[in-house]
Amino acid sequence: MAVPVRYDVLCINTLLQSQQVSCFSNLRLSQNQYKKVVHEAPTGHKPLRRMYFLLLGKLTADPKSINLAVKDKCGDLYLEDNTGSVICQCIKPDVNWLDRLVLIPGWNYIVFDSDHRGMNHKSSAYLEITEACLPVGNLPRKVEPGPDIEVVSSTLGLHILQNRCDFQKKYVNIQGEITALSPVHRIRESVLFFMEITSKDSDTSVCVVAKGAEYSYWHNFLQLNAEYVFSDVMPTTLNKESINSFPVYAVCKKTRFSPLSGGNFENINLQRLQEKYPSRQSSIGSEHVMGNVSSSHGDQQPSTSCQGDVDSMSSEESVTSSTSKQIKQAKLCSFQGTITDVTIADAGIYQLDGKIRLYVGHQPCVSHGRGLRVGSKVKVYNAHFKSSKEEPTLRLCCCTLSSVVIVQFSPLATPYQPFIPQSSVYIHLLYFYHLNLAYYQWLVQMSEDMKKKFLPNLLSDTSLMGVQLRKNHRSDQRAFGVFYSLFRLPSPSKQTLLLPQSPRNIYQEFIDPQHSCWVVESQPVSRASLYAIPAMAELKQTLERLTKTRESWQLPQTRQTYTDKSLNEELYWRYQINEPSDFKPPLLLVGYLESNSKTGQLQLTDQTGSIDCVVSQMSTDSHECDQKCQYPSKNSHKPYVCPNIKLWCSGQMIRIDRYQIINESFTVSRFPSIQQVGNPSCIDKQHLRSYVQFSMSDTVCLHRRRFIDRESRKRKLDEGCPSVCTNKGPSGSNPNTDSVCVTDVVQLFVVSQKDSLHLTRSSKTQRSELTSNITVTFINPSKILQQDDKYESAYMSNATARNKTQVAISTKHHGNRNNSTQSCAATGNKSEGVAMSSHHHGDRHNSSGSCAITTTGNEHAAIAMATNTEKTVLRPSGDCTSDLPVKQVVLILAAETIKWYHLLNPCQTYVLVMPGSKDVKVFEPQLPSQALQRVVRATDCRTCLLVTNNMVVMPTACPQPHANIAAKVTNEIYILSDDEARLRDQVVSRLSSKEETNILNVHDVKMSRSTTDVRQISLKCRIVSRKHYNADSRFKSTSLLNSPDRDAELGVSTLNNKSICLLVGDISSQGTLSIYIDVNNLSYPLGLLPGAIVTFRNLNLCMSRKSNIYCQYVCNSSVVVDKCAASIPLQRNTSTQDTGIDTENQSTLPHKYLCEYAQTGITNTGLTNINQIYAHIVIVQNLSLRFSCAKCGDIFKQGVCMNTRGYCLSTNATYTAKASFIIEDGTFEAHVHCNNEQVTSLLDLSTLQCQRLRECVYKCGEVVYRHKGSEYNREYEHYGHVSPVERVLNHLCSSQLVCRPVVLCCRQFTLSQDMDNKNHEYPVRSWDNGDIQIQTKVLPRLSLFCTSLKSVNYREVYNNSMAENTS
């Protein structure tokens, strides 16, 4: 064979070893044609590099150089010679090339990354055969023409399938055109594909199934829209004895295929078939047993085409088949175009001609998408075309019936991006849920959102989207990434998956004539019902837009009269609670749960931003934490059994399914009227605090971020770190197995109490920073713990060497409701250093002063002495643990160490670790002078330890029962020894019992009026209402902020430094109490909303000048939100008179008689509770309807302010309705006041009547009704001194329409001041009844305020009550 000049024959091994860049060679391409290709290359793309080589080898499906298992054979073709083999892709290959030596004149050699996920072969390149192969050697010998082969058309073949019992024919030769060809499917260990054979005359089709890996290579040589003859196929039933059974033809060992023009065939009709195969009574029942088929083919002969007669077929069968074919063709289409972009290769999404998006993920791709590069021309057969208004991009979606055929390979040097279904997380989720096209598009969009949130700063692409195969590519040993876990793990609260699982039948998709395809014909999906995963920056922008909407400025309907001052005070603080269903689409929150080192707040973070978090209970079930809550459960994806935050939760990526997003808005405004509310020009300042409330039991763990790598400890050894030592193994062991051991000093402790985060001046930077004191109990002396290089922990990332000694001495005093802070600092180079701090707490007074001297030396500890001069209820005392080896220590969190603040819970056990240290006295007091040592030993005081940045706090866990093991660290959790566990239990038990007895409720606090020795209390209560006020400058603390920007940076104070007043009540009993919080220098407490259940610790108990008890939140106080507030669409600042009870749900309110109110009022208890009253309206005493000027408050009549004292230009008015009436229930009578909506309910007016009445009042300005007796009212009307509106009200208020039975919800009743007598000496009234004189005491009049009023039928109420008692 002669080889052209400049061209050499290249062996395959040389091509694989030497060529590292994609290239091509084409014997038939001239130089001018190549220059034209270069000139026509699109912008940004270059053509492939040209080479001058020819390839010579054998084209085979079973290469000898590669040991392919039967299950790995999926129809791929290889070019092989003696040096090696390479996988190849051909365009319209000829079956005569198979297992023959061929010369390849044109080819593209494409190099790609062999480390791509899921690549199951070592080759890093493949071959695209662009020209027809030239067989080399002897041609197959010519065979003499034999007798004609009898074949049947697909129309007759369908008749045979439907009437198998009438024919004794076991094998059938069938001819027809291939109108549909499915991809090669791998179902478990089976390999199969489908073919649809159609007759051109009647459009009737039958299905042929080729099952077995030995037939998979047929798929390369079968061409769509070409006619073939399949000999010896067996009629059988797919999925026998099931509802999805289909009659099909199956390929067996004897089956061969050849083009219709490649032999002598005779087409027979039905009559001849019946004569040759007479009918029989019994069923054939042929079984479909798949066997191996030989790779050799029969000799091909010259062809003669014959057409049979099908007129004898029944017309009903023909019409039905034709109709089904038309329906299928109407649903499908074909398209040819050029790939202009590989949108997402792992999802099987490509772009054709820059306009149409092609989805091939719903069908398998055993060729891994070879040849589908930018610039390739493809033709798509039998695809679904979709277009909609929501999705402007035109879409082609492939199903089992579709085929994607490469028409021309790309001449451009574009990269090959493999599409490997078994390593694609998209395909795994697609087949797990059986997603249709709408859901699949949404899944792809979610992946883009997750990549925006976490790639590349927080996660790698493999950790997020990977499907890592482990041993032998077994499906049960896959390790999936974060995105897969996001959709596979069910919701903890609902126990459901994020998406519905739907069935899909690929056999029905291909064989069913109606083609009921689940891919596109399932129920429509609305994008508003699907979840969205927002980035934290986008979430904050969404929340800011919500606060600027008109709905967020709506005022409560219970009050409609506002002056300028009251209106702006009402709008100073607003809050809004949003749940996932409140957003369209609903939001799914995903992020890392971490603690901010500047503010100390818990945050949900991604690489775009962060949002603060409040972790508390959200369910109605109560939860009490125990020691098991300190460490995760055995389920790695659902470790959160406890709803509260734990130390080990930090650094984990979580998915939050149920949550509340809170928007607290602070606004300094000057709105002149209600109509101007929301006008941006009237807003001076505005500040928004947004945060998320959720429970840890409603979250799912997706990933735990590792803070260090394995090389961090080895790096210490290379640098000669003294804390890292090399230990040899035991004698006789391998000398090369040296281990790196790191010594850490650990100290076990239990948290007793926490002070709030407050501002102090940094002695180094002279800037304000947050700090806190945490009282803990050290258990046992500190000890050294050794860890080898196999152990990785989070705290080693912060391990740095520091040689500073810091000693602190602190004292505490109590003062009187004030806040002031002083600080001074000095530094030196002496070997001794002392740091002193003092804190003063009182009613509403808090002052602190600190002096720090920091020196450098060889010591490693920070020590302090603390004394308490006032007795407190929750003051840690040494009495409860005096018989145990423990001591009281105050941990000082400052600077970056405040990140541990919200992770440390009272009565929980932790371990303080000094990484890389050998000094066991690192946590002990090392005082520089003997005098100071004597003071510490002589006094029973608490030592203070300044927690530095290189110290780490770790959670603890109990050992297994009867394990008898030493203390160790496993998975970043300190496992206690048996002795430590027993000692820990004793300390925790004593602290827990003491704390339970010290937590009071509101009733206990109010009953302790005469107690004078209790100065600080702990309180568990429910927040009833909240308001903000400007504290007196004499009692307000001086701000330590350097600039207003530090306010937002540190998360302290409020806008204009207003203080907070909370009205709190008991959870179940009656009584309310006021708590004042000055947050000027304190970290702003999140979650203090009406309805929330909170626990306050170390509140100052105070008494006002009017002998009212209240509490003051001071520097050493702390608050924990136990349960979130109820989900309310929109709430805002409420007055202290509001009880926060929903009066619309009257069935939940207790019922009381008026005599009980009177008796309760005499004892002066329970004056602010809402109760339900059944009574009768006796008479309406007063009624006032008025339009008032919004600016000055005078009467507003017909659009003009009637102010006579000055000229008022206001054009805005507010409508006010007030009334008072007398009720009685048979036990007592009461004077009731109401306004606005309750007046409408009192008069029993409809909406139209109420509107007409307001129009009349608008003309008059004011209408007043006063009851002075029926005779007076009639005389008053007779002389014409009354307007028509007043005349109507006179008749209405005295009619039975108003004086009727009602049910009321009333609150805040009081006794008349002139009748109030603490000695209960009330006036006596007497009258004569015949000969008997009766005397009785006159009780004071009872006054109530009505919050709700409804008409009631006493008979129905009585019947319902009797029915409930009977049941």
Side-chain angles (χ1 to χ4, degrees), residues 624-835:
E624 297 295 336
C625 290
D626 53 15
Q627 295 301 325
K628 294 182 180 179
C629 297
Q630 281 197 272
Y631 46 90
S633 63
K634 295 181 180 180
N635 188 350
S636 59
H637 293 292
K638 188 183 177 182
Y640 312 112
V641 179
C642 179
N644 300 320
I645 186 68
K646 300 301 176 184
L647 182 59
W648 51 267
C649 299
S650 178
Q652 294 188 351
M653 181 190 291
I654 58 175
R655 185 194 77 197
I656 310 176
D657 299 336
R658 187 174 63 160
Y659 59 85
Q660 294 177 350
I661 296 182
I662 313 298
N663 277 345
E664 291 190 37
S665 178
F666 300 86
T667 306
V668 177
S669 59
R670 41 184 176 83
F671 299 121
S673 61
I674 296 180
Q675 287 74 12
Q676 294 295 326
V677 169
N679 187 357
S681 61
C682 299
I683 299 177
D684 296 333
K685 297 180 183 178
Q686 190 170 15
H687 180 62
L688 177 66
R689 292 188 186 271
S690 302
Y691 54 94
V692 183
Q693 289 187 151
F694 61 91
S695 171
M696 291 302 299
S697 56
D698 293 329
T699 62
V700 176
C701 179
L702 301 178
H703 182 261
R704 180 171 177 83
R705 182 167 45 174
R706 294 292 180 180
F707 295 92
I708 65 166
D709 54 5
R710 185 177 294 273
E711 301 296 329
S712 61
R713 293 181 181 269
K714 296 183 180 180
R715 196 179 304 114
K716 286 179 172 290
L717 179 62
D718 298 337
E719 295 173 357
C721 180
S723 62
V724 182
C725 60
T726 303
N727 295 337
K728 301 292 183 179
S731 59
S733 62
N734 189 355
N736 297 326
T737 59
D738 298 342
S739 62
V740 179
C741 293
V742 179
T743 60
D744 304 330
V745 179
V746 297
Q747 175 63 60
L748 184 66
F749 69 91
V750 179
V751 178
S752 300
Q753 73 176 43
K754 298 193 302 182
D755 295 352
S756 60
L757 287 169
H758 55 277
L759 285 176
T760 57
R761 292 280 188 183
S762 174
S763 59
K764 296 182 180 179
T765 61
Q766 294 299 319
R767 298 188 66 187
S768 301
E769 62 181 18
L770 290 172
T771 183
S772 176
N773 298 337
I774 299 181
T775 304
V776 301
T777 302
F778 276 6
I779 302 177
N780 285 335
S782 57
K783 62 181 180 180
I784 296 178
L785 188 67
Q786 290 187 353
Q787 301 294 339
D788 55 17
D789 60 345
K790 296 180 180 180
Y791 163 63
E792 298 179 4
S793 63
Y795 63 77
M796 287 303 298
S797 62
N798 296 325
T800 57
R802 296 193 177 187
N803 296 321
K804 293 185 179 181
T805 300
Q806 296 178 343
V807 181
I809 298 179
S810 67
T811 60
K812 292 190 176 181
H813 305 282
H814 299 283
N816 184 22
R817 202 174 185 183
N818 193 4
N819 241 346
S820 62
T821 305
Q822 299 176 354
S823 64
C824 61
T827 59
N829 295 325
K830 299 181 181 181
S831 60
E832 299 180 355
V834 178

Side-chain angles (χ1 to χ4, degrees), residues 1180 1183-1185 1239 1243 1245 1253 1257 1263-1266 1273 1277 1282-1295 1298:
V1180 177
L1183 177 64
S1184 173
L1185 306 177
V1239 174
L1243 300 180
L1245 300 178
L1253 179 61
V1257 175
V1263 176
V1264 179
Y1265 164 79
R1266 291 181 178 87
N1273 291 335
E1277 294 180 7
V1282 63
S1283 65
V1285 181
E1286 293 176 342
R1287 183 180 298 109
V1288 172
L1289 290 179
N1290 286 337
H1291 288 283
L1292 180 63
C1293 293
S1294 59
S1295 67
V1298 175

Side-chain angles (χ1 to χ4, degrees), residues 316-575:
E316 181 180 357
E317 295 178 1
S318 181
V319 170
T320 303
S321 301
S322 177
T323 304
S324 301
K325 186 69 176 179
Q326 293 175 1
I327 294 175
K328 181 183 294 187
Q329 290 177 352
K331 296 180 180 179
L332 303 173
C333 67
S334 299
F335 179 81
Q336 180 173 337
T338 303
I339 299 177
T340 55
D341 184 30
V342 181
T343 308
I344 303 178
D346 286 342
I349 303 177
Y350 303 87
Q351 192 177 48
L352 303 180
D353 295 339
K355 299 178 181 179
I356 298 178
R357 186 165 292 178
L358 175 64
Y359 293 84
V360 299
H362 289 82
Q363 61 172 210
C365 185
V366 294
S367 64
H368 297 172
R370 285 186 291 271
L372 299 179
R373 298 184 297 113
V374 174
S376 298
K377 294 182 179 181
V378 297
K379 187 170 185 179
V380 185
Y381 294 89
N382 303 325
H384 295 273
F385 178 77
K386 303 295 292 184
S387 63
S388 63
K389 296 180 179 179
E390 296 182 357
E391 185 68 31
T393 306
L394 303 179
R395 292 156 291 163
L396 280 176
C397 183
C398 297
C399 63
T400 308
L401 198 66
S402 308
S403 299
V404 180
V405 179
I406 299 177
V407 179
Q408 179 182 346
F409 290 113
S410 173
L412 305 176
T414 53
Y416 161 59
Q417 303 179 34
F419 171 45
I420 307 172
Q422 62 266 27
S423 66
S424 173
V425 65
Y426 303 99
I427 306 304
H428 279 282
L429 292 174
L430 186 148
Y431 287 124
F432 175 78
Y433 285 104
H434 296 300
L435 303 176
N436 57 19
L437 180 59
Y439 278 117
Y440 191 62
Q441 287 180 282
W442 172 79
L443 182 71
V444 173
Q445 180 61 41
M446 291 301 100
S447 69
E448 297 301 314
D449 294 341
M450 290 290 289
K451 291 178 181 178
K452 184 191 305 182
K453 287 169 66 69
F454 301 107
L455 291 185
N457 297 334
L458 301 179
L459 281 176
S460 63
D461 182 70
T462 303
S463 300
L464 180 62
M465 307 297 298
V467 179
Q468 302 172 358
L469 302 181
R470 295 184 180 178
K471 297 180 180 179
N472 301 325
H473 308 287
R474 291 177 55 183
S475 60
D476 58 342
Q477 293 184 353
R478 290 191 176 100
F480 296 96
V482 171
F483 191 73
Y484 183 83
S485 302
L486 176 66
F487 291 94
R488 281 299 301 269
L489 298 179
S491 171
S493 57
K494 300 180 181 179
Q495 293 300 319
T496 57
L497 297 171
L498 295 182
L499 292 175
Q501 287 183 290
S502 304
R504 183 188 179 189
N505 193 334
I506 61 172
Y507 306 106
Q508 186 178 8
E509 283 184 19
F510 192 91
I511 302 173
D512 187 10
Q514 301 292 334
H515 188 60
S516 56
C517 184
W518 170 259
V519 176
V520 293
E521 294 185 358
S522 58
Q523 296 181 355
V525 179
S526 174
R527 286 188 175 271
S529 62
L530 299 176
Y531 285 101
I533 305 179
M536 295 306 162
E538 297 175 352
L539 178 61
K540 284 191 172 183
Q541 294 176 0
T542 302
L543 298 179
E544 289 179 1
R545 288 194 297 267
L546 287 177
T547 58
K548 297 178 181 179
T549 59
R550 182 66 183 175
E551 291 77 10
S552 65
W553 292 98
Q554 291 181 358
L555 293 168
Q557 298 180 358
T558 57
R559 181 179 177 183
Q560 297 185 5
T561 303
Y562 294 97
T563 62
D564 295 350
K565 183 178 180 181
S566 62
L567 177 63
N568 293 298
E569 289 179 353
E570 183 77 21
L571 296 174
Y572 170 77
W573 179 73
R574 298 170 295 137
Y575 75 95

